[in-house]
Amino acid sequence: MEKSVATLDKGTICSSWNYSAQRLATGSIDGTLAIFDSPDPASSTFSCSSRIKVHDGSIVKVVWVPPEFGDAVACICRDGTLSLWEEVAEDGQSLEWKLCKCFQSKSTRVLDIQFGVSSTSLKLVAAYSDGYIRVYEVHDPLELKNWHLQVWEFDQGHQRWLPVAELASPEDNSDQVYAVAWAPNIGRPYEIIAVATQKGIAIWHVGLHPDVDGRLSVERVALLSGHEGEVWQMEWDMSGMTLATTGSDGLVKLWQSNLNGVWQEQAAFQPTS
């Protein structure tokens, strides 16, 4: 005999139970994330306990974070934006859902995600519309906003993805990553990756040939500063020689390295009123 366990909001287009099937998250066409709980643990009836406006567009997928990392939900929206929402209590206040991380790019969209857990960290694998798989990792389970960027490579012999480099210095372990841009490679013996954090824009050289442990050499060759506030987006030109950056200060800056490998700001553009 069929029995209704919850009445979902009008316009609901996706849903997901948490690991223990004690909570239900739903996403709606108007960009609302709804959380359903059972008032009685012994009951099989659920009612809405929270509604959070996540986005102006529709939510197309919701995924619960593994339970050992708390109560948190990832939302993929129609425009490809990925956001992570966590239920927290701040300053003695009651539990409330807060945005703790947003993965956003104007040039590509997130299509799907999965979480993975190791003995020391939480990993997020995201499939993008440009054909790339990007892997993010958070080392501190108490700080879901602090994700670290790793470089992964597909091992044909074992048919699996393996981490081959981590783009972070020891002093960067608590920094948030705002944006990442991988430069096109036309004949260089190394890759160039730009990583924006609160400290500035780090330029990394990543070797092409792994060592005996399968790891690639990494070197931070520059730390660029010039934006006031967060860097939102970075793009390389087709040659991988010029980096364009923009951020919350409303400026667009162009960066290049000289013949000695020293990175400098070449131009800055400000919108006119």
Side-chain angles (χ1 to χ4, degrees), residues 23 35 37 49-52 64 69-72 85-99:
R23 310 191 80 180
I35 306 297
D37 290 287
S49 58
S50 299
R51 287 187 176 89
I52 311 99
W64 285 90
F69 291 88
D71 287 310
W85 295 79
E86 184 179 17
E87 189 179 40
V88 294
E90 297 179 344
D91 301 326
Q93 302 296 318
S94 58
L95 287 170
E96 188 176 358
W97 287 88
K98 298 281 189 179
L99 174 65

Side-chain angles (χ1 to χ4, degrees), residues 73-88:
V73 176
C75 299
I76 302 177
C77 295
R78 181 73 66 185
D79 66 351
T81 300
L82 169 64
S83 58
L84 186 63
W85 295 79
E86 184 179 17
E87 189 179 40
V88 294

Side-chain angles (χ1 to χ4, degrees), residues 240-262:
M241 303 281 290
T242 302
L243 177 67
T245 64
T246 185
S248 58
D249 57 4
L251 296 176
V252 175
K253 293 178 177 287
L254 300 181
W255 309 83
Q256 287 181 336
S257 67
N258 59 24
L259 295 177
N260 296 321
V262 178

